[in-house]
Amino acid sequence: DAAFPKILAVARKLAKNKASVIMLGCTELSLLFEQVQESLDRPVVDPMRVLARHLVAEARREQARTD
């Protein structure tokens, strides 16, 4: 993807400036999650994955309440 080098350059600049975590703050950036994560020595957060985990957890709690 043509965007990857640009995203990686920004993420590396943030890491150089002492960012301890890189957040891919746009849903389209989720497509680059693995590439960015493999290229950095910092944790990378994908908000879509976080949202998905929370939605699944909430659905399970709701299901448990109705069982």
Side-chain angles (χ1 to χ4, degrees):
D1 187 85
F4 175 68
K6 293 176 184 178
I7 299 300
L8 186 58
V10 170
R12 284 187 171 149
K13 185 174 182 177
L14 291 169
K16 183 180 176 185
N17 286 315
K18 310 266 191 264
S20 58
V21 176
I22 305 298
M23 177 171 284
L24 301 176
C26 182
T27 56
E28 291 83 12
L29 297 179
S30 294
L31 300 172
L32 300 174
F33 175 75
E34 283 84 13
Q35 288 178 286
V36 174
Q37 187 175 39
E38 291 170 2
S39 300
L40 295 175
D41 63 350
R42 303 276 192 287
V44 177
V45 176
D46 177 1
M48 290 297 289
R49 290 176 187 228
V50 172
L51 177 61
R53 280 195 296 270
H54 284 280
L55 288 172
V56 168
E58 181 60 30
R60 288 180 176 156
R61 283 191 294 273
E62 184 65 28
Q63 183 64 39
R65 283 186 281 242
T66 60
D67 286 345

